[in-house]
Amino acid sequence: MNLTREQLYTLVWKKPLRFIIESYGGTYQDIKELLKKYNIPSPENGYWSKLRAGHTLKILSLPLLAGKKEKKVIYEPKQRVSRLKNKEVHNKFTAEKQQTHQLKQAMPEDKFVVEARRLFQKELKGDVGSNRLISIGSHALPINVSAKMIDRALEFFILFILGIKQIGGEIEMKSNRTIVLYREERLELSLREKQNRVERLNSKYSWETYDYLPSGILVFKLGENSWDTKEWKDTAYTILEDKIDDILAYIPKKIIKIQEERREIERFRLEREKKYQRQLELKKLQTTEINNFIALKTNAELWKNASLMREYLQAMEDAAKLKGTYDVKIQEYLAWARKKVDWYDPLVDATDDLFEHMDKLSLTSTKKLGS
């Protein structure tokens, strides 16, 4: 577009926006955003129909442009920008492939990559045009991609494993899982190719409504649980190989977070254990205190009753003497009764052979019959 702002304003009021789109490319939205950027008013909807019908319509004047005045209008349709960016991504990916190839030549392949390559070759058996996702099992690198993406997947792992070793970690396979081992912590990993869901025409059964086709987009995942995983993937402007540095930077941060969370969980567990022990000790102390108090209350009641019985026996003795009936029989009874009261009184706690197994409160035997 080789137009000034004033020339574009004149064109907008002479020709419909469709003419500008056909002349310069882009979309209706692109042109509307361009006019907004340069503060150029445009006809409202229905303007050209009313004009053809013979109506006299007002043309809005061109306002001054705030800030620096542009001599030329700069216009790049978004589709063209997207194509340019895609071309840059393609060129960058090509350069990355060359760099990866040089790295491969400069160092021996990791044993896991060698084994993965062998298993892929065995699985394919020459069917390189296969349009299905291929998984090489639980005892190899967790890769699930189509045939055309195998080389990229392996090249990604070459660079990734090299980076893991450089930061002091390693790759480990254990219990049908492939993990990053870093600072004694483990993060499960996987690499897959995203699938596109395509509606199947004239499907015979309801469960055959869609086909799932490889998309060419690689997705790398770290973590096992759905709520605690992180993914990196190809986008329109970046490829997964470009994100290896981000992944390697993420791993130490994630491990630190895991260890902090574990310490927090352990701290919480210890606090809960201490609280539980305090509750046990408090309950034990409370039980002891209650038992002691019950014993105090019981002994006080026994002592009160014993004191009352002694007063009664003394009154009985005084009455007998006063009446002149204080004979041997009364004396023997008083002597027997006072011994029982001494057994009953917790402050005296005298022994009594017959009452040895007798409960003082209930006055029932605590010993089972025949024992």
Side-chain angles (χ1 to χ4, degrees):
M1 183 178 286
N2 188 25
L3 297 175
T4 63
R5 179 170 174 264
E6 289 78 8
Q7 289 171 334
L8 178 57
Y9 162 75
T10 302
L11 182 60
V12 165
W13 288 94
K14 279 187 177 182
K15 299 286 184 180
L17 293 186
R18 183 179 66 256
F19 172 82
I20 301 176
I21 293 170
E22 292 172 353
S23 300
Y24 299 102
T27 64
Y28 176 83
Q29 187 62 32
D30 290 337
I31 298 299
K32 293 295 288 184
E33 289 179 3
L34 179 68
L35 297 177
K36 182 178 179 181
K37 176 182 177 181
Y38 287 94
N39 196 16
I40 298 174
S42 61
E44 61 182 8
N45 292 337
Y47 174 86
W48 299 105
S49 298
K50 294 176 182 178
L51 195 64
R52 284 193 296 270
H55 293 276
T56 302
L57 302 173
K58 181 181 178 181
I59 298 177
L60 301 178
S61 59
L62 179 66
L64 295 175
L65 182 65
K68 185 178 179 181
K69 187 175 180 181
E70 296 283 349
K71 293 182 179 179
K72 293 289 183 180
V73 172
I74 299 174
Y75 174 57
E76 279 190 312
K78 288 183 179 179
Q79 290 178 346
R80 179 174 180 271
V81 173
S82 178
R83 287 197 301 270
L84 289 174
K85 288 185 176 179
N86 285 334
K87 186 176 181 181
E88 291 174 1
V89 170
H90 174 75
N91 293 337
K92 192 170 185 180
F93 172 62
T94 302
E96 290 285 347
K97 287 192 70 174
Q98 292 175 351
Q99 182 182 7
T100 301
H101 180 73
Q102 293 172 357
L103 283 170
K104 287 169 61 180
Q105 297 298 321
M107 65 179 184
E109 282 191 340
D110 183 85
K111 61 180 180 179
F112 295 129
V113 176
V114 173
E115 178 63 10
R117 192 185 303 280
R118 184 189 71 80
L119 291 173
F120 271 124
Q121 291 171 350
K122 180 180 177 181
E123 182 70 24
L124 279 174
K125 297 178 181 177
D127 185 15
V128 294
S130 175
N131 202 28
R132 61 186 174 88
L133 295 189
I134 304 165
S135 179
I136 52 176
S138 58
H139 297 287
L141 289 174
I143 303 174
N144 190 22
V145 296
S146 60
K148 65 180 181 180
M149 299 296 287
I150 291 174
D151 286 341
R152 264 199 70 197
L154 294 176
E155 288 169 359
F156 169 83
F157 267 109
I158 290 172
L159 294 174
F160 178 71
I161 293 174
L162 176 62
I164 288 296
K165 291 178 179 178
Q166 288 176 341
I167 66 172
E170 60 180 295
I171 301 295
E172 182 180 276
M173 289 185 186
K174 194 172 184 180
S175 302
N176 298 332
R177 300 165 60 212
T178 303
I179 59 174
V180 174
L181 179 61
Y182 183 79
R183 292 184 181 177
E184 300 182 356
E185 300 292 341
R186 290 168 171 80
L187 290 175
E188 189 170 351
L189 60 88
S190 65
L191 180 67
R192 62 182 173 87
E193 182 178 355
K194 187 179 178 183
Q195 290 181 297
N196 289 330
R197 191 176 72 169
V198 180
E199 187 172 1
R200 182 183 296 180
L201 300 177
N202 302 320
S203 58
K204 186 176 180 181
Y205 303 104
S206 60
W207 60 84
E208 295 178 343
T209 307
Y210 298 99
D211 286 320
Y212 293 86
L213 304 176
S215 66
I217 296 174
L218 288 181
V219 181
F220 179 74
K221 184 176 79 169
L222 275 178
E224 180 179 1
N225 300 312
S226 59
W227 65 86
D228 195 30
T229 61
K230 185 170 177 62
E231 290 187 343
W232 295 262
K233 62 182 179 180
D234 294 331
T235 66
Y237 307 123
T238 59
I239 57 175
L240 188 59
E241 290 87 332
D242 290 338
K243 301 176 182 181
I244 289 179
D245 287 343
D246 292 338
I247 298 172
L248 296 175
Y250 167 82
I251 290 173
K253 294 178 183 178
K254 179 63 177 177
I255 295 302
I256 290 173
K257 184 179 178 181
I258 290 173
Q259 292 175 340
E260 287 177 348
E261 288 175 349
R262 184 179 293 115
R263 284 193 292 269
E264 182 64 19
I265 291 172
E266 179 63 14
R267 185 192 65 78
F268 178 76
R269 188 193 67 79
L270 291 174
E271 284 293 325
R272 187 174 59 185
E273 182 67 23
K274 288 179 181 178
K275 184 177 179 181
Y276 177 71
Q277 290 298 329
R278 285 196 297 268
Q279 289 175 342
L280 284 181
E281 292 171 1
L282 181 61
K283 189 174 182 179
K284 184 178 179 181
L285 179 61
Q286 188 179 45
T287 301
T288 303
E289 293 280 305
I290 289 174
N291 291 337
N292 290 338
F293 184 78
I294 291 174
L296 172 63
K297 179 175 177 292
T298 300
N299 289 333
E301 291 173 351
L302 293 173
W303 173 81
K304 182 179 180 181
N305 291 337
S307 299
L308 182 62
M309 285 187 284
R310 286 193 180 97
E311 289 180 12
Y312 171 74
L313 292 174
Q314 185 62 47
M316 180 185 290
E317 181 181 344
D318 293 342
K321 289 178 179 180
L322 184 62
K323 293 178 181 180
T325 59
Y326 186 69
D327 55 12
V328 175
K329 186 177 179 179
I330 290 292
Q331 292 176 14
E332 289 177 350
Y333 173 79
L334 290 173
W336 170 86
R338 285 182 172 121
K339 285 183 179 180
K340 296 304 180 186
V341 172
D342 287 343
W343 165 84
Y344 188 78
D345 188 345
L347 295 182
V348 179
D349 199 23
T351 60
D352 190 292
D353 293 339
L354 292 177
F355 282 10
E356 181 180 0
H357 300 291
M358 192 72 68
D359 179 72
K360 293 182 180 180
L361 285 176
S362 63
L363 298 179
T364 57
S365 178
T366 60
K367 186 177 181 181
K368 292 182 180 180
L369 189 63
S371 61

